[in-house]
Amino acid sequence: MDMRRIVAVLAEDAEQQMHDHMWQLTPHDRALALEAEAGMRKAVGPPDVQERMPQIDRLEHLRETLAVLALCLARTHGRLAWFLSGAINALEPVLGWRALSAEHGGTFGTVLPRPEQYTEAEDAVRRLQEAFAQITAESEA
């Protein structure tokens, strides 16, 4: 299953839990969810912007997204932590990517991703952004 599909399933589950009132964000968790959404939007922009960037910058932005999610995860528990953990797991392949050639020496197991893999990961991040927006909007209602 690709990152987009994993994130779509994760987002659908979260949105359903919010709709069914199984998941109610605390004020602290709502603030963290808003922080995560803003951080991801800052890191990964619209497709036309991202696709014009060099691959090394695209990879940096994807890693920044993982950092935002990890920092938020470190500051919460319960369903939001589980959702953040699922998001990090979905984007985990990014951690094994590199944008530079190996030239001389080992690569510590990293691989050069194909251009479409960058697009897939960025699409997954955008879907996560939408999910966070939906989750925080539901918690306001």
Side-chain angles (χ1 to χ4, degrees):
M1 198 178 320
D2 75 14
M3 282 182 254
R4 286 179 288 227
R5 184 70 193 131
I6 294 168
V7 166
V9 169
L10 182 68
E12 289 165 10
D13 189 25
E15 291 164 5
Q16 188 63 49
Q17 287 186 33
M18 295 295 290
H19 182 264
D20 293 345
H21 303 288
M22 292 173 53
W23 182 12
Q24 303 283 328
L25 289 181
T26 65
H28 172 74
D29 282 352
R30 185 172 189 285
L32 277 176
L34 288 168
E35 181 181 325
E37 179 194 3
M40 288 188 301
R41 284 193 193 284
K42 182 179 176 189
V44 174
D48 60 324
V49 172
Q50 291 299 126
E51 290 171 4
R52 286 194 310 263
M53 291 180 177
Q55 288 185 350
I56 196 165
D57 292 337
R58 291 175 81 177
L59 181 54
E60 180 182 316
H61 289 213
L62 288 166
R63 288 177 180 159
E64 186 175 329
T65 295
L66 282 162
V68 166
L69 294 170
L71 288 172
C72 289
L73 173 61
R75 299 181 358 233
T76 191
H77 303 281
R79 290 188 194 275
L80 181 59
W82 304 337
F83 180 75
L84 288 163
S85 180
I88 292 167
N89 282 329
L91 297 173
E92 182 271 334
V94 170
L95 296 174
W97 294 355
R98 70 175 194 277
L100 302 174
S101 66
E103 294 185 32
H104 306 288
T107 65
F108 301 100
T110 59
V111 298
L112 292 168
R114 297 180 314 278
E116 60 269 17
Q117 288 177 290
Y118 283 102
T119 301
E120 175 190 332
E122 291 160 350
D123 288 346
V125 169
R126 287 185 203 93
R127 180 61 181 103
L128 281 170
Q129 293 167 358
E130 292 170 14
F132 275 106
Q134 183 68 30
I135 289 166
T136 56
E138 285 276 331
S139 73
E140 246 182 357

